[in-house]
Amino acid sequence: MKFGHIAALSALALLAACNRPGEAPAAAPAATAEAPVTLKAPAGDYALDPTHATLQWSVLHNTISHYTARFDKLEATLTLDPANLANSKITAKIDPASVSASYPADYKASHAATGFASWSDDIANNVKFLNAKAFPSITFVSTSVKQTGARTADVTGDLTFLGQTHPITLKTTFNGEIERHPFAQVPAVGFAAEGSFKRSDFGMAVGPVGDEVTIRFDGEFIQKAAPAAPAN
């Protein structure tokens, strides 16, 4: 409900109380907490569907615009406890060499001194940026899940890259679930998450590219098949 609506209702209630002299003002109705989401998806382990997942990042460029790129190779595993989301966990692994940054111009011609074939190559392998040859993976391991609303939670975890680990919190939204994936024939769930961190915390120099990086994830997780029972 918008603030204006709340203010109008409050004013009407006050006028009604004033127009009935001698009557005690009615007690304000008790606030009701938003019920936590009830997940129909069964508990267990889920794997990210890489064909339906996007991990984007954006950073301020030259102090005047936000530049956005993405990672094309990532994997993640979700352990879901629908009865108590605080018991859920997620781990993710990203290939920094898979960064995809749009640069329609001739990068080699305009940035010959860098020695890189493309802007994506520069971001992935330059020692000033992701330095993928020396640090071939970026990881995130959750340490806590705190439900904040009917379909939202704060997922805090350890982000590791460039040889350093620091905690970050991702604002996570539960998008939905299906009881049977049309191809995998098992339950599937979908989440979105967004958060930010400072590049300088991981030892990256700050120049024309801003310090704060915003990351945005959207993806589907498919339940892993239960291991077959041993034969008698």
Side-chain angles (χ1 to χ4, degrees), residues 47-116:
L48 179 67
D49 177 2
T51 63
H52 294 87
T54 303
L55 179 59
Q56 295 182 317
W57 53 265
S58 64
V59 63
L60 193 63
H61 181 254
N62 284 338
T63 72
I64 57 175
S65 69
H66 284 91
Y67 183 82
T68 301
R70 70 177 190 271
F71 291 106
D72 287 337
K73 293 182 180 179
L74 63 152
E75 55 190 64
T77 299
L78 167 70
T79 299
L80 180 65
D81 183 351
N84 184 1
L85 288 181
N87 291 333
S88 301
K89 297 179 180 179
I90 187 169
T91 62
K93 183 179 179 180
I94 302 129
D95 180 359
S98 72
V99 66
S100 179
S102 175
Y103 193 89
D106 186 340
Y107 190 77
K108 291 183 71 174
S110 58
H111 295 74
T114 66
F116 293 100

Side-chain angles (χ1 to χ4, degrees), residues 187-220:
V189 294
F191 293 90
E194 187 169 314
S196 63
F197 62 91
K198 291 184 177 181
R199 297 190 303 120
S200 58
D201 288 344
F202 294 85
M204 298 179 74
V206 178
V209 178
D211 193 11
E212 185 169 272
V213 179
T214 299
I215 54 177
R216 166 79 186 191
F217 167 81
D218 285 275
E220 300 177 11

